[in-house]
Amino acid sequence: MSSDLVLRSDMGVELVKASAGDADVVWSARVSTQGEASLEAVAADPERSAGLIRYLLTNRHGTPFEHNSMTFLVTAPIFVFREFQRHRIGWSYNEESGRYRELQPVFYVPGPDRKLRQEGKPGHYEFVDAGPDLTAQAVEASTRAYLAAHEAYREMLDAGVAREVARTVLPVGTYSSMYATCNARSLMSFLSLRTQAEGSTFPSFPQREIEMVAEQMESHLARLMPITYAAFVAAGRVSP
Ligand SMILES: Cc1cc2nc3c(=O)[nH]c(=O)nc-3n(C[C@H](O)[C@H](O)[C@H](O)COP(=O)(O)OP(=O)(O)OC[C@H]3O[C@@H](n4cnc5c(N)ncnc54)[C@H](O)[C@@H]3O)c2cc1C
């Protein structure tokens, strides 16, 4: 293997900035009935506030869940970003540029826990563990392709071909990085589609790699906004 090729199977999610708490849901909702006094009323009756959050979520009053912000640094292969950036509403993205910087030779290979054999029909696939031999074969074949692609990329850069043209030979398994900013409502919408979870009113069957990103974001939401998160789970993971 070329010494500078890096193979990864993990997805990086770092919460870099957050202004998000259950209280943000409460004050923004209570302006309806209390006007400018709503901020002071947040801490007055915690049990009532928790009940309000559950009520808003169950009844799909979504806008009070938008007055907060979470910014994540995500490091993942390009094929994950292609799926991720389909989520248009309440999300802002900035991704590293293959035009302005040389892309690093960091590539995705399936890890030992990734179930590789696909069985069933579209929409009803099941993924089953096919054992370490198939994983080793997938890693070996991927590495061969990555080496060839990276070599062609380097060859073009060394010859003076512009980065924006040379990059076209790189595969979607190449790692990229982006900042993604959302609010609790848009994050819950994302989680409802990009995780496969027991008790979902509308079960979804996402690709495992984007689910690995979603699971990490979910744990941040659960920590920052525990009442909102519990209400989301109790409501069958339907975004308000
Ligand atoms: C398991 C799975 C399989 C998928 N397979 C495919 C596939 O084969 N091919 C493919 O192309 N995509 C596929 N997708 C992507 C999917 O079609 C959506 O683009 C993606 O899930 C984002 O969902 P969204 O539009 O609800 O999100 P957002 O863009 O964040 O929108 C959120 C909500 O805003 C409203 N909204 C947004 N835009 C509009 C609009 N223009 N008009 C009216 N209402 C709007 C809707 O209520 C929408 O649910 C798949 C997604 C999943 C989860």
Side-chain angles (χ1 to χ4, degrees), residues 99-135:
R99 296 184 68 201
Y100 303 138
R101 92 183 275 245
E102 185 181 323
L103 294 173
Q104 300 305 297
V106 183
F107 299 101
Y108 171 78
V109 289
D113 299 335
R114 175 51 155 114
K115 293 178 178 152
L116 284 185
R117 199 180 296 285
Q118 178 174 317
E119 290 176 358
K121 297 185 198 150
H124 293 93
Y125 288 132
E126 253 195 13
F127 292 86
V128 292
D129 188 357
D133 288 354
L134 194 64
T135 302

Side-chain angles (χ1 to χ4, degrees), residues 83 86-91 186 189 193-194 204-207:
E83 293 189 345
R86 297 297 302 278
H87 296 266
R88 299 158 289 177
I89 307 300
W91 283 92
S186 55
S189 171
L193 289 166
R194 298 302 183 177
S204 190
F205 302 93
Q207 173 148 357

Side-chain angles (χ1 to χ4, degrees), residues 62-203:
T63 47
F65 297 93
E66 296 173 7
H67 296 274
N68 58 81
S69 173
M70 288 162 265
T71 299
F72 297 97
L73 173 62
V74 185
T75 316
I78 289 169
F79 70 84
V80 169
F81 284 5
R82 282 208 57 189
E83 293 189 345
F84 205 129
Q85 292 173 2
R86 297 297 302 278
H87 296 266
R88 299 158 289 177
I89 307 300
W91 283 92
S92 304
Y93 304 109
N94 279 92
E95 184 180 352
E96 72 176 270
S97 166
R99 296 184 68 201
Y100 303 138
R101 92 183 275 245
E102 185 181 323
L103 294 173
Q104 300 305 297
V106 183
F107 299 101
Y108 171 78
V109 289
D113 299 335
R114 175 51 155 114
K115 293 178 178 152
L116 284 185
R117 199 180 296 285
Q118 178 174 317
E119 290 176 358
K121 297 185 198 150
H124 293 93
Y125 288 132
E126 253 195 13
F127 292 86
V128 292
D129 188 357
D133 288 354
L134 194 64
T135 302
Q137 195 177 343
V139 170
E140 196 275 321
S142 303
T143 307
R144 234 182 310 126
Y146 293 147
L147 273 172
H150 183 60
E151 220 171 275
Y153 179 61
R154 276 257 43 108
E155 184 184 317
M156 283 191 270
L157 292 182
D158 291 345
V161 174
R163 283 183 293 262
E164 67 184 30
V165 175
R167 68 169 170 176
T168 59
V169 297
L170 292 175
V172 292
T174 309
Y175 270 72
S176 184
S177 56
M178 70 168 176
Y179 288 109
T181 299
C182 62
N183 58 58
R185 188 184 194 186
S186 55
L187 181 54
M188 288 187 279
S189 171
F190 174 78
L191 295 177
S192 72
L193 289 166
R194 298 302 183 177
T195 57
Q196 187 178 352
E198 288 285 316
S200 296
T201 304
F202 304 106

